[in-house]
């Protein structure tokens, strides 16, 4: 089977996460393969960080090692903001879904949050994860994509601190 250089680089980038022998492969090896990649191939998003990644099954449960995704802090204001990347996730199939949870831990104003996911063409989507003081267990489509979790959020007025994961 003939492989392009791009496919080989993507394979090495993903292997760096899965194989302890290849952990030293630099993050720059994880380049975006794009939605035109071969069927069933993992699409690597530019946000992917192999040093901070966990492979998950279709339900978003870690495969092979403990989930190292920790909550992140985010400040919401009356302008839509996107968080810094959270932990990196490698979807095991096109049916992979992941879960977002968040809660307001500072401020008295309500917050609206959207979670990053991917459609069937491996294009980034932003799915509503709720408004108010928090939500647990918001399930979002991820697919066969290697990328970092992120949220977007905003308030109607004032500022609020949000913890999310």
């Amino acid at each position: 089977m003939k492989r392009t250089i791009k496919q080989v680089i993507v394979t090495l980038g993903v292997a760096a996460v899965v194989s302890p022998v290849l952990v030293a492969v630099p993050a720059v090896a994880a380049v975006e393969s794009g939605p035109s990649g071969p069927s069933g191939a993992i699409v690597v998003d530019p946000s992917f960080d192999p040093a901070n990644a966990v492979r998950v099954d279709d339900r978003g449960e870690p495969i092979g090692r403990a989930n190292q995704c920790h909550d992140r802090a985010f400040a919401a204001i009356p302008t839509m903001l996107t968080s810094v990347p959270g932990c990196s996730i490698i979807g095991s199939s096109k049916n992979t879904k992941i879960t977002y949870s968040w809660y307001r831990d500072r401020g008295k104003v309500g917050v609206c949050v959207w979670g990053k996911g991917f459609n069937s063409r491996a294009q980034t989507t932003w799915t509503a994860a709720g408004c108010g003081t928090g939500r647990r267990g918001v399930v979002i489509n991820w697919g066969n994509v290697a990328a970092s979790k992120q949220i977007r959020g905003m308030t109607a007025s004032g500022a609020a601190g949000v913890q999310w994961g």
Side-chain angles (χ1 to χ4, degrees), residues 34-102:
S36 61
S39 178
I42 294 176
V43 176
V44 181
D45 185 77
S47 67
F48 181 68
D49 176 8
N52 182 29
V54 62
R55 185 164 172 78
V56 298
D57 62 19
D58 288 354
R59 296 177 320 249
E61 298 295 323
I63 297 173
R65 66 180 196 185
N67 188 351
Q68 297 178 355
C69 297
H70 303 288
D71 281 354
R72 305 276 185 192
F74 177 71
I77 59 174
T79 301
M80 180 71 72
L81 295 176
T82 302
S83 71
V84 297
C87 66
S88 288
I89 303 291
I90 304 170
S92 61
S93 79
K94 66 179 182 168
N95 299 319
T96 300
K97 297 183 183 310
I98 62 165
T99 303
Y100 281 87
S101 295
W102 64 274

Side-chain angles (χ1 to χ4, degrees), residues 87-158:
C87 66
S88 288
I89 303 291
I90 304 170
S92 61
S93 79
K94 66 179 182 168
N95 299 319
T96 300
K97 297 183 183 310
I98 62 165
T99 303
Y100 281 87
S101 295
W102 64 274
Y103 66 93
R104 181 189 71 203
D105 70 335
R106 300 270 192 269
K108 296 184 188 250
V109 297
V111 180
C112 288
V113 171
W114 291 260
K116 179 180 177 180
F118 297 89
N119 65 17
S120 62
R121 299 165 108 184
Q123 297 168 326
T124 302
T125 60
W126 293 95
T127 304
C131 293
T133 59
R135 296 287 183 277
R136 292 182 51 83
V138 178
V139 178
I140 295 179
N141 292 327
W142 194 265
N144 204 12
V145 175
S148 294
K149 289 174 75 173
Q150 283 184 288
I151 63 167
R152 285 185 173 168
M154 66 184 294
T155 65
S157 65

Side-chain angles (χ1 to χ4, degrees), residues 2 33 42 110:
K2 249 183 167 176
S33 68
I42 294 176

